[in-house]
Amino acid sequence: MAVVSVEPDLEQHTLTATVHLDAPVERVWLLWSDPRRLEKWWGPPGYPATVRDHDLTPGGRVRYFMTSPEGEKLPGWWHVDEVEVPNHLAFTDGFADDSFEPVEGMPAGRSDVRLTARDGGTELVWVTRYDTREALEQIIGMGAVEGTSQALEQMDAVLD
């Protein structure tokens, strides 16, 4: 596997990740659709995820928290917009309070994930769009570029 790039585009308010995986699309889809597999890579190393709810249908919700090395719980949520098994997933992802409700004033990103067969494996392209340049800059300032890259680098181990 190779994380090809994790690139912000300040003009378009996007963060785009491209990954090449040595597994067929159907297996890579399981990284998103199986909550136990999602837990193993969602979040950078040292911040394991725990998925509480996982409804990967249009209108469904995913609720999770990551745990920091110091034991702090960092809740988040997804609202699922589109699902085309096994090639496409669109969802909005944001920060949550302890009740898994969206945190006011924190940016939420609209993610579009596409899985395409490529050279016997899969190309994953994940574009997250924010409402404003400032929202993207805030996410970048929180370490999103590095954190996303580190999280995606864990996918191979989950596929094995």
Side-chain angles (χ1 to χ4, degrees):
M1 177 198 82
V3 174
V4 175
S5 64
V6 178
E7 297 290 330
D9 182 332
L10 295 175
E11 297 308 313
Q12 297 296 315
H13 316 153
T14 58
L15 185 62
T16 301
T18 303
V19 181
H20 294 163
L21 296 152
D22 294 327
V25 168
E26 294 77 13
R27 274 194 40 225
V28 175
W29 177 258
L30 294 173
L31 295 174
W32 299 87
S33 64
D34 178 343
R36 301 298 75 90
R37 292 180 191 182
L38 181 65
E39 288 176 336
K40 293 178 180 178
W41 70 269
W42 186 260
Y47 288 78
T50 301
V51 176
R52 287 289 175 94
D53 301 296
H54 189 272
D55 179 2
L56 215 59
T57 60
R61 296 243 179 225
V62 174
R63 292 180 176 97
Y64 66 91
F65 62 87
M66 290 183 279
T67 303
S68 76
E70 298 76 33
E72 180 184 9
K73 295 201 180 330
L74 308 166
W77 57 269
W78 297 0
H79 179 269
V80 179
D81 300 309
E82 299 174 38
V83 179
E84 296 170 28
V85 177
N87 300 100
H88 179 237
L89 174 62
F91 60 95
T92 303
D93 175 33
F95 296 90
D97 62 21
D98 290 338
S99 300
F100 296 100
E101 294 301 319
V103 174
E104 291 290 323
M106 290 299 289
R110 290 179 307 283
S111 288
D112 186 87
V113 178
R114 303 235 176 223
L115 306 176
T116 307
R118 178 186 180 280
D119 298 332
T122 301
E123 179 177 71
L124 181 155
V125 177
W126 177 8
V127 179
T128 305
R129 181 176 309 281
Y130 294 89
D131 288 336
T132 65
R133 177 185 181 124
E134 293 76 21
L136 176 58
E137 288 174 337
Q138 182 178 359
I139 291 296
I140 291 169
M142 297 170 76
V145 173
E146 300 83 4
T148 299
S149 183
Q150 291 171 354
L152 293 170
E153 288 172 359
Q154 299 173 112
M155 287 181 158
D156 262 343
V158 182
L159 287 168
D160 287 341

